[in-house]
């Protein structure tokens, strides 16, 4: 095993760890979504059977939506599920494809860094003002917002690590690995 | 007049409603440039045209995304619960008393805008009163008990719950279908909006009572931008916004309600189109007294607790004194 | 500025930057070069307010519903049954493709998911029975497109969200045009395969006993559809609530078929989060871009320009339709919808057209974009499931169905009641 092989293997181990972590996060998001289903069903039943009436399912579901979509961005990224147009990409040699993959990954990092930093301001303002939702429930807004903000921070971290991995593997000319972690997947019919 | 050249980014309220079309747009796009001799130029849009939620306008204004912003005070109470006191349902039943209520509340609103949103309050103008459209027989306040009512704003919802009604949250566009199919019995909105959205087709009774308050729209300037302005520009805007925007908007408010009711009930000339034939319900003095009692005993004390500080005393001394209402301790 | 946006978008997409990120970056650029306001300071607020939504949570719920049904083997059973009912027609199995896509559309909110599902169960049959694959694959790509016209529909939810239109009304309005289009797909298949039998495959006959035996397998899908639509139509539930009810029903059906296993549920949940996040990334990006377009006044300038042409309502409508057909060749559909709706819909309403009706017309145009090259996601998905041949085969096979969609556009414009007949106020 050469030094570059060892480096490539180490990078792939890191990426695989990142994938596993994101899969668990996505699974957790899925279970929270199932929780939202239960909440909404209780609300629907509560209209017929007032004993079950809780109220606020709509508001809580909104927070859940913000949380699962945002935390899922990283999962979609490691699964290469974000929509990319491969008109040019597919016609390039491996090296050219890798350059585009680096650009794509860097663009996600750019967006994540910027949104995360401005998301922090939103959260900080809600904390500073003690903002509460404009509903009878009056939920302190920092609660849903800190989860949402965390999702963008996690995307920053995930995309930064993936970008570093893509750059290193490209420099090592390990095109097969670049393809595995950052390329546009060939549609398999499983992609939804 | 010799003003320094100034450019302002202005974000108005709902672009589909008369307040923007007849007053905000005219004032900022025509009156201000003309009266300043072309020295002040304005780039105007509205929050809904930018896709900004009405509750985010003052947050963005405070951050300096734009210089001048307008939105319904009630939309922003998540960040400033004390602002709920600006628009208490049912207290002001006509445009004159609404104007008195808002005038009395102005010093409080100015403080709130400064402390919460880093903004300088310029003006407060009314939307038409938020009345009740019902697809059910309604004759008195008691009849609202047990009904499912689409309200807006926390205080209105709490008031409905105090009456024994159920407050339902629902998008504006879903209301006519929901009224028709009996998912809700009543819904609260401005009489004019209800007419132009055809709510009369799916409801029978129009309760002429501002159950949703007046949804006053606050116009404010980012405080840093305001402080950086030449005093001559500050004076110019302060004076013009009153004579060119606030006063005409209020003068129109009383007539607007009468016009909209004529269109909804067929009780008079309707210039906007064919008149509908809803039954107009005017509540008795006993009902009004009961509403005030519920407000004084339950709704306002709850609000005083949410707002904290000395807001209850300030409210009693200003709005309360003007309207003869007092928050129980 | 308009050139900056168009060329910038083209370059970013050509560089294969993820669509959502491309929209964000265009917005950042508008802020840096054109906007009088410091828009970045509103970035966090815009992103938060666009993701915190009770209406949009219907998207993951409908995706989850479809995921569970797929893992319960509903698509295979439906396909086998419709094979026995439709394969005597000229074109054979191609009709079963369309029928299965139509059935599955009634429970799926996404065209791409519908096409992927049908392609996975159908393409092996094409190989086994020696079909000419062009029309066969084209029918799946086009049939799958019905996923967003027949309710439930993610794209209709997004349209309702952006234009303040009643989603129940939009759902009801999609039913008749969706079914008419499915019928149109079958008619054109039959006509083409009568003229050129080699384009289809063998017509096969089944006994009535065989046909009846399969019918019970159609019940679950029809039941889910009926409950979703019925509960929305009667006002018993909002679209989001109906989606939650659908998820519970799908779980019941999966349990009935013995498919509620940890592996299946895990896969369904992961697939749901993946799809939802992919869709939401585009939605929040487009939302920020719209904010930037609004602040720079570009959207008002554009509508001013269009209104200034003085074309009259139908001339203008024609312009808009042509614009969507043209943009639909190149732009990913969700991004296309979100970026254009805030500009186009106010104009259309100003011309006196109905908001619900235009939503349906727009969806048909979006479906066309899904099956026209070079950027047509349904074409890609079906080609992916074929694992052989060239993408151009699928593109060719989809052409007759594009023609049917054009007819549908004409029909909707000539007879708006096609869409509005069953849409309650
Ligand atoms: Na569908
Ligand atoms: Na296309």
């Amino acid at each position: 095993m050469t030094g570059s092989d060892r480096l490539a293997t180490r990078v792939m181990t890191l990426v695989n760890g990142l994938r596993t972590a994101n899969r668990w996060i996505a699974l957790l998001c899925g279970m929270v979504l199932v929780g939202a289903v239960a909440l909404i069903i209780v609300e629907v039943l509560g209209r017929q059977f007032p004993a079950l009436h809780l109220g606020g399912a709509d508001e809580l579901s909104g927070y859940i939506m913000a949380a699962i979509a945002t935390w899922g961005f990283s999962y979609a990224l490691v699964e290469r599920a974000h929509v990319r147009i491969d008109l040019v990409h597919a016609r390039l040699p491996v090296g050219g494809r890798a350059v585009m993959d680096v650009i794509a990954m860097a663009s996600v990092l750019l967006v994540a860094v910027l949104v995360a930093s401005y998301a922090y301001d939103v959260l900080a303002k809600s904390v500073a003002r003690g903002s509460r939702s404009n509903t009878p429930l009056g939920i302190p807004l920092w609660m849903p917002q800190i989860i949402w903000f965390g999702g963008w921070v996690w995307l920053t971290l995930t995309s930064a690590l993936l970008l570093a991995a893509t750059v290193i593997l490209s420099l090592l000319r390990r095109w097969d690995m670049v393809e595995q972690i950052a390329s546009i997947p060939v549609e398999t019919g499983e992609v939804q | 007049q010799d003003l320094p050249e100034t450019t302002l980014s202005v974000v108005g309220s709902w672009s589909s409603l008369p307040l923007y079309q007849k007053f905000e747009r005219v004032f900022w796009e025509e009156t201000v440039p003309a009266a300043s001799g072309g020295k002040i130029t304005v780039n105007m849009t509205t929050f809904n045209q930018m896709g900004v939620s009405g509750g985010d306008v003052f947050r963005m204004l405070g951050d300096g995304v734009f210089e001048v912003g307008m939105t319904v005070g009630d939309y922003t109470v998540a960040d400033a619960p004390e602002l709920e006191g600006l628009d208490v349902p049912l207290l002001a039943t006509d445009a004159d008393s609404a104007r008195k209520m808002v005038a009395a509340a102005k010093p409080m609103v100015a403080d709130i805008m400064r402390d919460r949103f880093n903004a300088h309050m310029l003006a407060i103008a009314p939307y038409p009163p938020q009345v009740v459209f019902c697809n059910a027989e309604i004759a008195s306040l008691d009849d609202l008990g047990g009904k499912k009512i689409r309200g807006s704003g926390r205080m209105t919802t709490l008031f409905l719950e105090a009456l024994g009604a159920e407050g339902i949250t629902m998008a504006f566009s879903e209301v006519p279908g929901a009224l028709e199919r009996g998912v809700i019995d009543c819904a609260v909105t401005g009489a004019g909006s209800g007419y132009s959205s055809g709510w009369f087709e799916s409801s029978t009774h129009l309760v002429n009572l501002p159950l949703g308050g007046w949804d006053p729209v606050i116009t404010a300037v980012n405080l840093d931008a305001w402080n950086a302005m030449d005093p001559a520009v500050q004076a110019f805007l302060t004076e013009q916004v009153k004579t060119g925007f606030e006063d005409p908007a209020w003068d129109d408010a009383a007539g607007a309600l009468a016009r909209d009711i004529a269109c909804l009930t067929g009780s008079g000339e309707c210039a906007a189109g064919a008149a509908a034939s809803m039954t107009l319900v005017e509540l008795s003095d006993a009902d009004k007294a009961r509403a005030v009692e519920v407000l004084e005993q339950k709704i306002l004390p709850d609000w005083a607790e949410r707002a904290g500080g000395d807001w209850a005393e300030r409210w009693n001394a200003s709005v309360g004194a003007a309207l003869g209402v007092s928050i129980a301790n | 500025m308009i050139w900056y946006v168009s060329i910038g978008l083209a370059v970013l997409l050509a560089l294969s930057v993820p669509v959502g990120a491309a929209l964000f970056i265009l917005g950042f650029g508008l802020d840096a070069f054109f906007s009088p306001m410091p828009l970045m300071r509103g970035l966090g607020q815009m992103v938060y307010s666009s993701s915190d939504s009770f209406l949009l949570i219907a998207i993951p719920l409908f995706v989850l519903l479809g995921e569970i049904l797929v893992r319960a083997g509903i698509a295979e059973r439906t396909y086998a049954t419709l094979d026995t009912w439709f394969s005597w027609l000229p074109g054979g199995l191609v009709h079963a493709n369309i029928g299965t896509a139509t059935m599955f559309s009634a429970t799926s909110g996404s065209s791409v998911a519908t096409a992927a599902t049908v392609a996975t169960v159908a393409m092996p049959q094409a190989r086994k029975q020696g079909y000419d694959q062009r029309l066969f694959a084209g029918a799946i790509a086009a049939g799958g497109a019905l996923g967003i016209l027949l309710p439930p529909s993610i794209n209709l939810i997004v349209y309702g969200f952006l234009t303040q239109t009643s989603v129940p009304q939009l759902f009801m309005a999609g039913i008749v045009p969706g079914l008419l289009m499915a019928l149109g797909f079958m008619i054109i298949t039959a006509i083409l395969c009568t003229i050129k039998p080699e384009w289809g495959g063998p017509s096969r006959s089944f006994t009535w006993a065989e046909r009846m035996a399969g019918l019970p397998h159609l019940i679950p899908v029809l039941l889910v559809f009926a409950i979703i639509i019925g509960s929305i139509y009667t006002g018993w539930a909002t679209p989001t609530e109906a989606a939650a009810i659908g998820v519970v029903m799908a779980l019941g059906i999966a349990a009935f078929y013995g498919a509620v296993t940890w592996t299946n549920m895990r896969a369904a949940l992961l697939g749901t989060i993946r799809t939802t996040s992919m869709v939401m990334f585009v939605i929040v990006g487009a939302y920020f871009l719209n904010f930037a377009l609004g602040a720079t006044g570009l959207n008002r300038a554009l509508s001013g320009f269009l209104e200034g042409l003085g074309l009259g309502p139908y001339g203008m409508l024609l312009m808009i339709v042509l614009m969507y057909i043209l943009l639909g060749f190149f732009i990913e559909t969700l991004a296309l919808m979100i970026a254009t709706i805030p500009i186009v819909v106010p104009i259309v309403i100003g011309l006196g057209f109905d908001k619900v009706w235009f939503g349906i017309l727009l969806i048909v145009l979006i479906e066309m974009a899904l099956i026209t090259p070079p950027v047509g996601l349904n074409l890609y998905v079906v080609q992916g499931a074929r694992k052989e041949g060239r993408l151009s085969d699928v593109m060719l096979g989809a052409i007759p169905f594009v023609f049917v969609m054009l007819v549908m556009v004409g029909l909707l414009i000539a007879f708006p009641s096609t869409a509005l007949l069953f849409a309650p106020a």
Side-chain angles (χ1 to χ4, degrees):
Chain A
M1 226 187 198
T2 67
S4 90
D5 280 344
R6 266 198 300 277
L7 181 55
T9 315
R10 216 170 291 157
V11 169
M12 284 309 281
T13 312
L14 175 81
V15 170
N16 285 332
L18 198 60
R19 264 202 193 135
T20 311
N22 270 301
R23 205 166 295 137
W24 281 107
I25 290 171
L27 202 56
L28 184 65
C29 289
M31 289 172 176
V32 172
L33 181 67
V34 174
V37 171
L39 205 63
I40 295 169
I41 296 286
V42 170
E43 177 88 0
V44 173
L45 292 175
R47 281 206 292 273
Q48 316 300 318
F49 312 103
L52 287 173
H53 185 75
L54 289 174
D58 48 354
E59 182 181 345
L60 297 175
S61 309
Y63 301 147
I64 289 177
M65 181 63 190
I68 62 174
T70 310
W71 278 91
F73 289 156
S74 304
Y75 176 62
L77 189 67
V78 297
E79 294 281 307
R80 298 178 293 152
H82 287 299
V83 191
R84 293 170 62 192
I85 307 297
D86 67 351
L87 271 182
V88 180
H89 190 275
R91 287 170 175 71
L92 292 180
V94 277
R97 286 210 293 270
V99 170
M100 289 187 120
D101 295 338
V102 168
I103 295 175
M105 206 53 87
S107 72
V108 175
L109 177 61
L110 172 73
V111 170
V113 168
L114 286 171
V115 176
S117 61
Y118 286 100
Y120 177 76
D121 293 345
V122 173
L123 172 65
K125 205 166 289 174
S126 298
V127 172
R129 293 191 183 139
S131 306
R132 285 169 176 270
S133 64
N134 181 11
T135 63
L137 233 47
I139 302 269
L141 287 182
W142 65 265
M143 291 185 189
Q145 284 175 352
I146 203 166
I147 298 173
W148 164 79
F149 167 67
W152 281 100
V153 172
W154 178 241
L155 180 64
T156 307
L157 197 67
T158 303
S159 56
L161 288 175
L162 281 180
L163 174 63
T166 313
V167 170
I168 293 172
L169 294 172
S170 300
L171 292 176
L172 296 175
R173 310 177 75 80
R174 299 301 297 262
W175 309 124
D176 53 328
M177 293 182 176
V178 172
E179 191 151 329
Q180 262 184 59
I181 64 173
S183 200
I184 303 176
V186 178
E187 299 283 355
T188 60
E190 291 296 310
V191 173
Q192 307 228 329
Chain B
Q1 210 168 354
D2 208 23
L3 296 170
E5 305 246 347
T6 309
T7 304
L8 297 175
S9 296
V10 180
V11 173
S13 60
W14 293 108
S15 63
S16 52
L17 294 180
L19 183 65
Y20 167 75
Q21 294 169 346
K22 283 166 70 179
F23 300 103
E24 292 174 359
R25 202 191 59 72
V26 174
F27 175 71
W28 290 102
E29 288 198 328
E30 293 167 22
T31 313
V32 167
S36 66
K39 290 293 173 55
I40 301 182
T41 47
V42 169
N43 297 311
M44 184 153 200
T45 178
T46 66
F47 67 72
N48 61 301
Q49 284 174 337
M50 287 206 293
V52 174
S53 128
D56 291 343
V57 172
F58 289 156
R59 275 192 168 214
M60 290 193 182
L61 180 75
D63 286 342
V65 178
F66 32 81
E67 279 101 22
V68 182
M70 281 153 245
T71 193
V72 177
D74 229 19
Y75 293 173
T76 66
V77 299
D79 287 323
E82 59 275 18
L83 201 52
E84 283 178 67
L86 169 65
D87 186 31
V88 178
L90 300 173
L91 281 190
T93 48
D94 56 57
D96 277 343
S97 46
R99 198 169 183 171
K100 261 201 312 199
M101 174 169 80
V102 166
K106 263 188 166 182
M108 290 194 289
V109 176
D111 287 357
I112 295 168
M113 292 308 295
R114 186 194 59 219
D115 298 338
R116 292 280 191 178
F117 298 112
N118 183 39
H120 171 79
M121 181 194 76
L122 270 185
I124 304 180
Y127 268 137
Q130 304 289 301
V131 296
V132 193
F133 289 72
C134 286
N135 193 16
E137 288 274 344
I138 302 290
S140 72
L141 211 52
D142 275 338
D143 293 340
L144 291 177
K147 296 281 189 290
K148 295 194 200 109
I149 305 179
R150 185 258 188 193
S152 60
R154 180 158 48 199
M155 211 181 256
T156 300
T157 310
L158 292 174
F159 181 80
L160 287 170
E161 281 171 4
L163 286 182
E166 189 185 342
I168 305 259
T169 315
M170 178 178 285
F172 186 84
S173 53
E174 310 290 3
V175 167
L179 279 171
E180 189 144 305
R181 295 188 293 269
V183 179
I184 52 175
D185 304 297
C186 302
V188 177
T189 195
S193 306
Y195 176 74
S196 55
S197 309
W199 284 19
F200 52 84
E201 284 171 7
S202 39
S203 53
T204 54
H205 287 63
L206 179 67
V207 186
N208 185 17
L209 199 68
L211 190 63
W214 289 71
D215 275 3
V217 174
I218 302 170
T219 303
V221 196
N222 172 281
L223 196 59
D224 304 321
W226 178 254
N227 289 335
M229 275 179 201
D230 190 285
V233 177
Q234 291 179 349
F236 171 83
L237 284 177
T238 306
E239 190 217 316
Q240 289 291 325
V241 84
K242 177 159 174 45
T243 56
F245 169 63
E246 205 174 25
D247 289 346
W250 277 106
D251 292 342
D252 186 65
L257 178 60
R259 286 197 299 272
D260 293 335
I261 285 181
C263 285
L264 285 164
T265 61
S267 63
E269 203 64 16
C270 176
S277 55
M278 292 185 71
T279 309
L280 185 68
V281 182
E282 302 275 8
L283 293 191
S284 65
D285 289 342
D287 275 335
K288 287 178 190 167
R290 168 141 181 258
V292 170
E293 191 193 314
V294 172
L295 288 169
E296 284 185 325
Q297 300 302 323
K298 174 92 184 99
I299 306 300
L300 286 168
D302 284 356
W303 165 69
E305 206 178 305
R306 277 200 299 279
D310 59 349
W311 289 107
E313 290 142 50
R314 289 191 66 180
W315 193 91
N316 276 340
S318 55
V319 178
L323 297 173
V325 180
S326 170
I327 302 175
N329 278 317
Chain C
M1 192 160 42
I2 180 125
W3 289 111
Y4 160 78
V5 176
S6 334
I7 295 174
L9 185 64
V11 169
L12 288 171
L13 293 185
L15 281 173
S16 82
V17 167
V19 174
L23 301 176
F24 267 117
I25 292 170
L26 278 179
F28 301 158
L30 276 176
D31 172 59
F33 302 123
F34 298 100
S35 169
M37 319 178 188
L39 297 177
M40 293 302 282
R41 295 181 195 169
L43 176 62
Q45 211 62 54
M46 289 308 291
V47 171
Y48 181 71
S49 294
S50 56
S51 7
D52 166 17
S53 162
F54 178 59
L55 180 59
L56 291 184
I57 202 175
I59 294 175
L61 295 179
F62 279 126
V63 174
L64 180 58
L65 156 65
E67 289 270 349
I68 294 174
L69 287 182
V70 168
R71 311 228 186 280
I74 296 295
E76 285 87 352
R77 292 192 183 86
T78 306
Y79 193 66
T81 304
L82 293 183
D83 180 16
T84 64
W85 281 84
F86 290 139
S87 286
W88 60 272
L89 288 162
L93 261 180
V94 177
H95 296 282
N97 294 352
I98 298 167
T100 306
T102 310
M103 291 282 285
F104 210 75
S105 291
T107 57
S108 158
S110 143
S111 285
V112 177
T114 307
T117 306
V118 180
T120 314
V121 297
M123 286 317 301
Q125 294 297 320
R127 271 191 294 279
K128 210 186 290 174
Q129 302 192 20
Y131 270 73
D132 176 283
Q133 291 204 359
R134 285 175 298 180
L135 193 65
F136 192 92
I140 299 173
L146 291 172
I148 56 170
L149 182 55
L150 283 168
S153 159
I154 288 174
N155 296 54
L156 281 175
I157 293 172
V158 170
Y159 179 87
F161 177 68
L162 290 177
T163 62
Q164 308 270 319
T165 309
S166 157
V167 173
Q169 265 184 291
L170 288 167
F171 276 12
M172 296 307 147
I175 296 178
V176 173
L179 292 178
L180 277 179
M181 219 149 81
L183 189 66
F185 290 166
M186 293 180 82
I187 292 174
I188 196 126
T189 302
I191 294 175
L192 288 175
C193 293
T194 307
I195 304 170
K196 295 259 182 196
E198 67 273 20
W199 284 2
S203 297
R204 294 177 302 149
S205 240
F206 291 84
T207 67
W208 280 102
E210 285 170 312
R211 286 177 183 163
M212 298 318 256
L215 279 191
H217 292 307
L218 300 185
I219 293 174
V221 170
L222 291 175
L223 199 65
V224 170
F225 181 71
I227 298 280
I228 290 176
I229 296 312
S231 63
I232 295 176
Y233 190 78
T234 56
W236 203 73
T238 65
T240 304
E241 290 166 352
I245 296 168
V247 168
V248 174
M249 290 187 63
L251 275 174
I253 291 165
F256 176 79
Y257 285 116
V260 182
T261 63
W262 169 240
T263 318
N264 275 347
M265 291 306 111
R266 186 173 176 277
L269 290 179
L270 288 178
T272 302
I273 297 301
R274 193 174 52 209
T275 307
T276 304
S277 300
M278 170 197 110
V279 170
M280 281 304 288
F281 199 54
V282 178
I283 290 183
V284 291
Y287 220 76
F288 179 70
L289 177 60
N290 269 331
F291 168 65
L293 288 173
T296 50
L298 183 63
N299 53 10
R300 269 163 306 137
L302 261 182
S303 34
F305 167 75
L306 285 173
E307 278 156 6
L309 291 177
L311 285 172
Y314 283 94
M316 191 80 141
L317 192 65
L318 192 69
M319 275 267 300
I320 289 170
V321 167
L322 287 177
M323 179 195 84
Y324 275 110
I325 294 177
L326 203 69
L327 294 177
F329 286 122
F330 303 104
I331 303 184
E332 196 275 328
T333 49
L334 201 56
L336 175 61
M337 279 183 68
I338 303 173
T340 55
I341 282 175
I343 301 173
V344 168
V345 172
I347 299 178
V348 170
I349 294 167
L351 293 170
F353 292 107
D354 185 272
K355 211 158 50 161
V356 173
W357 167 83
F358 183 72
I360 301 303
L361 182 71
L362 179 61
I363 293 294
V364 176
L365 291 165
I366 292 294
E367 291 186 290
M368 205 185 297
L370 282 169
I371 61 167
T372 51
V375 178
L377 284 190
N378 275 21
L379 301 174
Y380 296 176
V381 166
V382 175
Q383 173 59 23
R386 283 176 74 201
K387 303 185 177 94
E388 63 180 307
R390 289 149 46 100
L391 183 61
S392 56
D393 295 338
V394 191
M395 293 174 178
L396 278 177
I399 290 175
F401 304 104
V402 173
F403 172 74
V404 174
M405 290 177 178
L406 281 173
V407 171
M408 192 69 222
V409 168
L411 201 65
L412 279 169
I413 294 174
F415 305 103
S417 57
T418 322
L420 296 177
L421 204 54
F422 293 101

